[in-house]
Amino acid sequence: MTLQLRAPRPGDEAALRRLHAQFQREAFDFLLADGDHWDSILAEIDREALGVDLRPGRVRAEFLVAEVDGVIVGRTSIRYALTDFLREVGGHVGYAVAPEFRRRGHATEILRLSVERLAGAGVDRVLVTCDDTNLGSIRTIERCGGVLEDVRDVGGSVPKRRYWIEAAGAGQSLN
């Protein structure tokens, strides 16, 4: 069982739209691009990965699916710069694992590989945030070397925990 991160493909539409609908019930946007036409969504994902023609407030970012044995189990959004909003709330990495695939180490591997990609792009310190009540993400981030900076009230119903991960050791395996 090897988890890999890859760009979404035309044939992924049904699986990704199913996951998006599933995550909507958790008030979480699984697909970050808008639109009814899959080709348009893929084009937006490609533009963001290249950092061209970005919508206001967006930074160069990769949206990658996490796949195990040909099955999409989750996704990551890797942001190569921080806006004020990302510095406060979103961080460099946003990841998600579908409920039926949780508690199998996938989130840890997704985050580890995401930090590794950022390190390869020259990002030394990676900011990762999560809700103060999300014990699974807290454990995942700490397992990946996250050091808690603070917990902030960001105007929502739940405060955000803000962690920094030193990207220099991203290639090392985690326990």
Side-chain angles (χ1 to χ4, degrees):
M1 171 192 89
T2 301
L3 184 140
Q4 69 172 2
L5 300 179
R6 63 164 177 82
R9 301 176 185 143
D12 294 332
E13 180 177 11
L16 292 179
R17 287 195 186 274
R18 181 185 61 78
L19 288 172
H20 184 73
Q22 187 176 15
F23 275 95
Q24 289 280 287
R25 292 190 290 274
E26 296 179 5
F28 183 86
D29 287 329
F30 186 82
L31 284 174
L32 300 176
D34 296 324
D36 293 329
H37 301 287
W38 189 245
D39 290 341
S40 298
I41 290 172
L42 292 179
E44 183 176 343
I45 289 169
D46 288 344
R47 282 192 305 276
E48 284 202 350
L50 295 170
V52 297
D53 298 327
L54 297 174
R55 290 184 287 154
R58 303 292 282 194
V59 299
R60 183 170 89 81
E62 289 183 286
F63 177 91
L64 304 170
V65 297
E67 182 179 84
V68 176
D69 297 329
V71 177
I72 297 172
V73 300
R75 65 94 161 145
T76 186
S77 179
I78 303 169
R79 299 172 282 261
Y80 290 90
L82 295 175
T83 61
D84 289 342
F85 173 79
L86 292 174
R87 191 171 288 105
E88 187 76 13
V89 178
H92 284 100
V93 179
Y95 58 90
V97 174
E100 65 268 30
F101 299 108
R102 291 179 183 159
R103 302 184 64 87
R104 299 182 193 182
H106 297 320
T108 300
E109 186 65 2
I110 291 169
L111 181 55
R112 185 189 72 76
L113 291 171
S114 298
V115 170
E116 194 173 89
R117 287 178 88 94
L118 285 159
V123 177
D124 297 326
R125 295 180 70 222
V126 175
L127 177 63
V128 185
T129 68
C130 70
D131 287 348
D132 193 36
T133 56
N134 189 335
L135 296 178
S137 278
I138 291 168
R139 288 186 189 114
T140 294
I141 296 166
E142 290 176 352
R143 222 177 280 125
C144 289
V147 176
L148 182 65
E149 178 178 76
D150 58 18
V151 179
R152 294 185 184 181
D153 179 2
V154 293
S157 59
V158 178
K160 288 283 183 189
R161 296 174 73 92
R162 297 173 68 256
Y163 289 89
W164 290 95
I165 299 172
E166 296 298 325
Q172 301 171 3
S173 65
L174 303 167
N175 296 326

